[in-house]
Amino acid sequence: MDGENLRRELADITKSLRRTLERELHAGGGDLIATAAKQKRKMAAKSGAGTAPAPAAAAEEIDLFGEPAPTKPAKVTPVTAFEAPAPLPALDPGARAAIARAAEPVLAKIAEEVRACRSCALWETRGQAVPGVGSALAGIVFVGEAPGAEEDRLGEPFVGRGGQLLDRIIKAMDDARLIPGLRLDRSTVFIGNVLHCRPPENRVPLAFEVEQSSPHLRRQLEALQPRIICCLGKTAAEHLLGSKASLASMRGRVYRVYGAKLIVTYHPAAVLRNPELKRPVWEDMQLLAREYQTE
Ligand code: URA
């Protein structure tokens, strides 16, 4: 085959692969897309046209939310997402402020509906429903599993011990200026859950409960127009990616859902049980910051 024919054939194969992946994306096949991205990166590296090396990790100077700073820079393996099917939502602070203003009444209405929701039996055992907290200002959304005892008592997500750790993680990101020029705290990011009512004894959510509660999360995400979503733990990742893969295999990859990028990290409760997870979580926050700032 001469050079021109080979070039044409390769272009056809690329087009066809791309169509298949885009179909997968619309069908929720984020896993396949991330895998394809990984494959593409490998091929590019082999051909010498690899992606730029990861910027030096900023973790050296950073107190890992209460732990001593690591002696070595964090090792991060970013995975570039497959070509975005649509541009990411705005990064510019003025445009983000406009998105946040428009989202505010929508989020308030969803919160009202969550508080009135009786779609599954959890309303009978809940103290308070927990709609979510924060804004669309930063364009970053953290999604957990379901409210625990403290959240149920106060009506706000992530206010127990796990929540205090999440606050420290967000503060560490802010202190380290992981995203220069962007203030990060509970008011500029959004923190939500797959379930909006506490399951008795904090048991794992039932499929029916997720089915009834998750449309609230979907509408929140539509209003928030995040640039990046961070799944805290397996329940959020399974739900938003429609994948039963292990959490370890979902980490370090970048997916695309709801027009945003999405990454997966350990749940703060898991980090409280196993402090060794602090370092991988910090690496995930560095990945989040890098992906947030690129298209
Ligand atoms: N764990 C979660 O997943 N969500 C909360 O809001 C609190 C604890």
Side-chain angles (χ1 to χ4, degrees):
M1 197 183 294
D2 65 25
E4 181 53 23
N5 279 341
L6 181 63
R7 201 190 58 71
R8 268 205 216 111
E9 184 151 28
L10 279 175
D12 284 349
I13 292 170
T14 306
K15 252 194 232 156
S16 148
L17 180 62
R18 188 182 172 141
R19 270 200 301 274
T20 309
L21 289 167
E22 279 173 352
R23 263 202 308 277
E24 282 294 325
L25 175 76
H26 291 299
D31 220 8
L32 178 55
I33 287 154
T35 307
K38 202 173 186 180
Q39 199 68 25
K40 196 179 158 203
R41 214 164 45 86
K42 263 194 200 158
M43 282 163 63
K46 258 193 202 156
S47 72
T51 49
E60 274 168 304
E61 300 297 318
I62 289 157
D63 168 348
L64 281 174
F65 21 105
E67 284 299 290
T71 49
K72 279 196 290 176
K75 216 168 117 205
V76 178
T77 315
V79 176
T80 311
F82 190 73
E83 269 87 350
L88 285 175
L91 176 64
D92 163 72
R96 290 269 16 135
I99 293 173
R101 273 196 302 278
E104 217 173 287
V106 183
L107 294 173
K109 182 164 188 301
I110 298 168
E112 224 174 81
E113 289 172 22
V114 165
R115 291 191 190 101
C117 183
R118 294 185 170 195
S119 303
C120 72
L122 291 181
W123 75 270
E124 294 181 83
T125 50
R126 75 186 174 205
Q128 294 192 56
V130 181
V133 70
S135 74
L137 265 180
I140 300 175
V141 175
F142 292 93
V143 181
E145 178 178 293
E150 274 305 278
E151 291 76 20
D152 179 76
R153 195 171 70 78
L154 297 171
E156 186 169 329
F158 283 98
V159 287
R161 280 187 65 227
Q164 287 157 19
L165 177 57
L166 178 61
D167 285 348
R168 295 213 298 281
I169 295 170
I170 296 171
K171 182 167 185 324
M173 294 169 75
D174 190 62
D175 289 347
R177 308 265 180 280
L178 282 194
I179 304 177
L182 183 64
R183 187 166 58 83
L184 293 174
D185 60 32
R186 267 187 177 253
S187 70
T188 60
V189 304
F190 188 85
I191 304 173
N193 278 308
V194 176
L195 281 202
H196 299 90
C197 297
R198 183 191 183 203
E201 311 302 326
N202 297 344
R203 63 158 167 71
V204 174
L206 305 177
F208 178 72
E209 293 160 355
V210 172
E211 201 179 294
Q212 297 303 310
S213 204
S214 58
H216 299 303
L217 173 64
R218 179 182 49 74
R219 287 167 55 219
Q220 286 170 330
L221 291 172
E222 283 165 4
L224 289 160
Q225 297 183 45
R227 282 180 68 81
I228 195 154
I229 300 166
C230 178
C231 292
L232 301 169
K234 202 159 161 44
T235 299
E238 279 185 358
H239 171 66
L240 286 173
L241 293 175
S243 163
K244 288 273 181 199
S246 70
L247 191 125
S249 72
M250 290 191 258
R251 276 191 63 241
R253 296 173 174 220
V254 182
Y255 301 85
R256 292 289 308 250
V257 295
Y258 292 113
K261 290 182 177 178
L262 180 148
I263 66 154
V264 176
T265 194
Y266 294 105
H267 193 285
V271 184
L272 287 175
R273 286 192 298 272
N274 178 7
E276 286 191 2
L277 297 179
K278 280 186 179 183
R279 179 186 290 270
V281 167
W282 184 245
E283 290 171 0
D284 294 338
M285 295 308 105
Q286 292 175 306
L287 175 62
L288 181 153
R290 276 200 306 280
E291 291 296 333
Y292 176 92
Q293 293 171 87
T294 53
E295 294 305 314

